[in-house]
Amino acid sequence: MRDEPAPLPRHLRVYEHRAHTVLELRGEIDLLSATEIGPSLDRITGRPGARVVIDLRPVEFFDCSGLRLLYRARTRVLGGGGQLHLVCTHPLTLRVFRVTGLSRLLPPHPTLDAALARSGAASGSL
């Protein structure tokens, strides 16, 4: 009997774009949804050399649980020699990133293409 991967939670859509795995978070990212998203995020970000984009554009609410998810993803991807990019346009979420300093560690971009245009640059691999 083979172990099948668990189905993706409703707050997460995963797809490939320009040789990167895009994790599109959706809806409200709070303690409950972060708990649901965590295992899928860990599986994807734990791959050696992972090239990941986290897209927060469909997110309506984002609390400290979401910040922990992003920081964990960053740590795992960079620890495996990969690249992590962030797409975010929501003004309140961007403000939280600036206030907490996360925007310095993981600079947000307005679109997928803008994030991936930095893929070869030093800041793209943080």
Side-chain angles (χ1 to χ4, degrees):
M1 177 179 234
R2 270 184 19 195
D3 286 333
E4 294 294 322
L8 292 176
R10 64 188 169 98
H11 295 284
L12 178 65
R13 177 177 168 232
V14 178
Y15 62 96
E16 296 295 319
H17 180 76
R18 292 178 42 194
H20 286 72
T21 301
V22 178
L23 305 174
E24 181 183 86
L25 278 60
R26 313 173 123 204
E28 296 186 3
I29 307 303
D30 55 16
L31 182 59
L32 180 60
S33 60
T35 302
E36 294 172 0
I37 293 167
S40 297
L41 184 119
D42 284 351
R43 187 177 69 252
I44 293 165
T45 60
R47 298 175 185 154
R51 297 172 58 159
V52 178
V53 177
I54 297 179
D55 186 352
L56 300 180
R57 289 176 296 177
V59 170
E60 299 161 5
F61 174 82
F62 192 86
D63 72 7
C64 61
S65 302
L67 289 174
R68 281 192 297 273
L69 280 177
L70 292 180
Y71 190 78
R72 180 172 173 82
R74 179 185 180 276
T75 300
R76 293 173 60 83
V77 168
L78 297 182
Q83 294 180 349
L84 180 64
H85 307 281
L86 178 66
V87 177
C88 181
T89 56
H90 194 282
L92 291 176
T93 304
L94 290 169
R95 182 170 183 244
V96 169
F97 292 160
R98 281 191 303 273
V99 168
T100 61
L102 187 62
S103 61
R104 287 189 308 272
L105 297 175
L106 190 57
H109 300 278
T111 65
L112 281 174
D113 288 334
L116 296 180
R118 305 279 308 172
S119 186
S123 66
S125 57
L126 295 171

